[in-house]
Amino acid sequence: MPPTITAEMGEGRGIGVAVGAGVLASLPALVVGFFHDDFLQRLALEGALPGYAPGPFRLYDFTWGGEAQVAQMIADGKLPWFADPGLGLRFFRPLSSLTLAVDAWAFGRNALAAHVHSIAWFVLLSAAVVALYRRWLGRRAAAWASFAYVLAGGHAMTTAWLSARHGLVGAAFGALALLAHARWRDDRWRPGAWLGPISLAAGLCASEVALGAVAFWVCDEAFARGGGAREGGPPAGAGERAALLGGAGERARAALLGGAGERVRAALPGGAYERVRAALPALAVAGAFLIFYAAGHYGTRRSGAYISPFDDPRGFAAAALVRVPTLLAEVYAALPSVLAAAAPPLALPFAALGALAAAGVGLALWALRAEFEPGVRRRLLALGLASGGAIVPTAGGIVGGRVLPIASIGGAALVGALLAAAFARARASRGARRLGLGALAGLFALLHFGLSPLVRVGTAFLFRQNVEDERAYAERAETPACPAGSVGYIVNGSDPVNSLYAAPSLLFYRPERVAHLAGVRVLSMAQNDLRLRGLGGGAFELEALGPRRANLFERVYRDAPLRAGDEVRAGELGARVLAAEAGLPTRVAFRVEGGLGRACFLAWREGRLARVGAPEAGVTLDVPFAPGPLGQ
């Protein structure tokens, strides 16, 4: 058999083995059903949410109708009474949205088939990334990097949570764009000149995560290439350019630029002109996307949990200073960054660990640079810089590994190169040096090939438990005891299952248990003991006892503080803030239009949503804080 065919077959087997390992780590995701945002999206597609029908291309565009829609959602109880009237939660992900709609049309409520669909996107992403590693790195480094990438814990959420699939779709097209660009630049594969920008545009129509691919594209041209088509090679000549772009392209360029292009070429050293020109398509696509995104008012506004660079550039920059290194802790040290979001006191320690891990990997590779050829050294520099740059576009969101499928391309490459070089140097060394190098490599191997798969499996089973908890929540809720035509008022909705997803889970699993209700509202998301006091005349007061504890999910709906004296109208419910602490309401007077006969009070206690009596005038009812299904 000819050597070239043998080499191609061997490369294909290598890619298959690495991708197969990633699929194996993803199999536990198949046991996860629908939960959280899945409810809202499926119900919207099924037409089961009156007044909320975004359509198959806008399932991630939660407030597409602007302030009028937000006001209506607050009035209907789809948003809490304290939500900012100017709230914006708009994500431009039509392609990913369409994949969810296809699931609903093709599979109905078959979650297994939908998860297989998600894993298919993971396979496409992994295959493209492994192919890039085999092109960019040496054989051993590429092997280590491939397994580090496909086993990364950051893929846990995107493979196990259907609503998070957008990260896989956007990253898959982003990786394909990089692969097409690499083939164009390295192999003179002419279709890559246009497939790269088209794939990047498709990725941006799937998820803002794909913006990270631009960082890799630009860093590749700026740092990894020594001149021309191949690393260290001569710049492409006029004949090659004409062959690539065709005579029409060259004539068009000449007509538009006149002699400017040649003057720029003469002013730039070496192959810099070629590199700048090769980076322009990615920058043009990204620039057009950002202009469209800003002009269309996409992104977030007035949310305390999501920070948009368009809405709050200073706040975004301040958040990025902490969140980028926090996410780097997962990229380089395989530490689940979602822990920093779940426990805010861990944010700064995680950021410090991330900065140390990234710096440590960089310094270790510098010390081992003799193990790499000059072209690979430049490539590793580009990949390291791009891994950090790729995080920046998503730094305004809630911290978690689901935003890392592009950034991890660079992180896994550097970890793979470090492992290959450290083990090789250790084999050639003796004594303490050998022991130290072996310990360094062993630590990173343990984190990325021990901890990461555990995170993948553990997250899937945790999500499976969430599914069961939300099903039980819907089945055990005492909503049937509420009078027909009343509104269910959830007093203590600190847990997101008992606040954000209360009505969607009830409608998804047991719609007959809420069909007689006029709506379901959340009165408080405070993680505090509460006191309910009747005031008479259809009015009551709710007070948070003790220091007011912040709630990440409460902050999703508002960034502006609520102050004493602020008044809100939400449909039949009026609210007046009597006292507030750190911008969060601590004592609120409510009045129900039509009297408390229209109200059905519900509280989370003893593991279920239980009905509690309406507070009569002068009567006080204490509602102790009780962690919900998610422990919040």
Side-chain angles (χ1 to χ4, degrees):
M1 186 176 293
T4 54
I5 297 179
T6 304
E8 289 176 3
M9 290 177 62
E11 182 173 338
R13 283 196 297 269
I15 292 175
V17 170
V19 174
V23 171
L24 188 63
S26 302
L27 289 180
L30 297 178
V31 305
V32 180
F34 300 104
F35 69 109
H36 292 2
D37 288 1
D38 299 338
F39 298 145
L40 184 65
Q41 293 170 333
R42 285 306 178 102
L43 290 168
L45 288 170
E46 294 168 0
L49 292 175
Y52 185 81
F57 293 98
R58 296 195 302 194
L59 294 176
Y60 295 94
D61 191 351
F62 300 103
T63 59
W64 73 91
E67 292 190 6
Q69 182 204 355
V70 170
Q72 188 61 51
M73 292 175 75
I74 294 173
D76 294 342
K78 294 183 179 70
L79 291 174
W81 65 269
F82 51 80
D84 195 304
L87 178 70
L89 296 172
R90 305 193 60 203
F91 302 101
F92 182 73
R93 301 167 183 168
L95 187 55
S96 295
S97 177
L98 182 61
T99 70
L100 296 176
V102 168
D103 286 347
W105 296 333
F107 312 129
R109 290 192 175 184
N110 187 327
L112 174 62
H115 281 295
V116 170
H117 184 180
S118 289
I119 291 176
W121 284 103
F122 172 74
V123 169
L124 180 61
L125 166 62
S126 300
V129 172
V130 173
L132 284 169
Y133 289 156
R134 289 177 169 268
R135 177 175 293 271
W136 288 340
L137 306 173
R139 183 172 60 86
R140 288 188 176 85
W144 283 112
S146 297
F147 283 96
Y149 184 82
V150 301
L151 296 176
H155 298 308
M157 188 173 288
T158 54
T159 54
W161 188 14
L162 295 174
S163 291
R165 180 193 292 164
H166 67 89
L168 289 177
V169 182
F173 280 111
L176 288 172
L178 296 176
L179 184 58
H181 176 71
R183 291 194 62 188
W184 170 54
R185 292 287 276 147
D186 295 343
D187 304 336
R188 290 309 184 194
W189 186 57
R190 282 189 282 180
W194 52 270
L195 281 177
I198 289 175
S199 295
L200 178 60
L204 293 172
C205 287
S207 176
E208 58 280 0
V209 165
L211 278 171
V214 180
F216 283 89
W217 190 313
V218 172
C219 286
D220 173 76
E221 294 296 340
F223 301 102
R225 298 187 179 278
R230 291 188 178 276
E231 294 175 356
E240 289 175 307
R241 291 194 303 274
L244 284 169
L245 300 175
E250 285 298 305
R251 287 193 297 273
R253 183 183 64 81
L256 288 171
L257 299 177
E262 295 304 321
R263 289 194 295 272
V264 171
R265 185 202 312 281
L268 293 174
Y273 173 81
E274 295 298 328
R275 296 197 297 274
V276 169
R277 195 180 71 161
L280 285 178
L283 294 173
V285 171
F289 172 77
L290 291 173
I291 291 171
F292 166 80
Y293 208 80
H297 302 289
Y298 287 99
T300 60
R301 296 189 308 279
R302 301 188 186 180
S303 171
Y306 293 93
I307 308 172
S308 169
F310 302 116
D311 182 55
D312 184 6
R314 289 185 180 180
F316 178 85
L321 288 175
V322 176
R323 295 179 184 181
V324 170
T326 298
L327 289 162
L328 287 176
E330 181 156 351
V331 170
Y332 287 104
L335 301 175
S337 57
V338 70
L339 296 177
L346 294 178
L348 289 179
F350 251 86
L353 283 172
L356 287 173
V361 170
L363 290 173
L365 287 171
W366 173 256
L368 295 167
R369 63 189 181 279
E371 299 290 328
F372 307 106
E373 297 177 357
V376 176
R377 291 179 207 164
R378 292 196 300 271
R379 179 71 63 188
L380 292 175
L381 172 63
L383 290 170
L385 294 173
S387 69
I391 295 175
V392 174
T394 57
I398 296 175
V399 170
R402 70 188 184 283
V403 303
L404 295 176
I406 290 286
S408 293
I409 294 174
L414 265 62
V415 168
L418 174 60
L419 289 171
F423 280 131
R425 185 71 66 85
R427 286 194 297 269
S429 303
R430 294 183 177 180
R433 185 179 181 85
R434 180 172 187 171
L435 183 63
L437 287 166
L440 174 67
L443 173 62
F444 278 93
L446 179 64
L447 290 171
H448 288 274
F449 306 120
L451 179 59
S452 286
L454 288 177
V455 170
R456 292 281 285 278
V457 174
T459 300
F461 284 104
L462 176 63
F463 286 174
R464 174 64 184 179
Q465 186 60 52
N466 292 160
V467 171
E468 295 302 322
D469 287 340
E470 286 183 300
R471 187 190 303 273
Y473 178 90
E475 292 176 347
R476 299 182 64 189
E478 294 184 359
T479 48
C482 295
S486 65
V487 177
Y489 291 108
I490 300 176
V491 177
N492 56 343
S494 61
D495 191 283
V497 171
N498 197 32
S499 54
L500 275 69
Y501 306 114
S505 64
L506 285 162
L507 285 169
F508 187 84
Y509 285 120
R510 299 299 297 272
E512 74 280 1
R513 299 175 72 89
V514 289
H516 64 294
L517 296 180
V520 177
R521 293 190 182 279
V522 177
L523 295 181
S524 175
M525 294 176 68
Q527 293 177 320
N528 293 70
D529 294 339
L530 301 172
R531 180 164 293 162
L532 192 62
R533 182 182 300 110
L535 301 178
F540 62 95
E541 183 180 295
L542 188 63
E543 180 180 7
L545 306 178
R548 181 67 156 84
R549 295 201 291 272
N551 184 333
L552 170 65
F553 298 97
E554 182 179 12
R555 292 173 52 234
V556 167
Y557 299 107
R558 190 179 193 93
D559 65 343
L562 280 169
R563 298 182 175 88
D566 287 348
E567 296 188 7
V568 175
R569 188 74 194 177
E572 84 297 335
L573 185 70
R576 186 171 188 270
V577 179
L578 302 177
E581 181 180 317
L584 299 170
T586 57
R587 190 159 63 94
V588 183
F590 295 97
R591 183 177 295 277
V592 179
E593 185 179 310
L596 294 189
R598 293 192 58 191
C600 179
F601 290 89
L602 302 160
W604 179 261
R605 55 173 54 172
E606 298 179 355
R608 71 180 187 277
L609 190 62
R611 187 184 180 193
V612 297
E616 298 179 4
V619 175
T620 296
L621 173 66
D622 285 343
V623 182
F625 170 70
L630 294 186
Q632 300 188 41

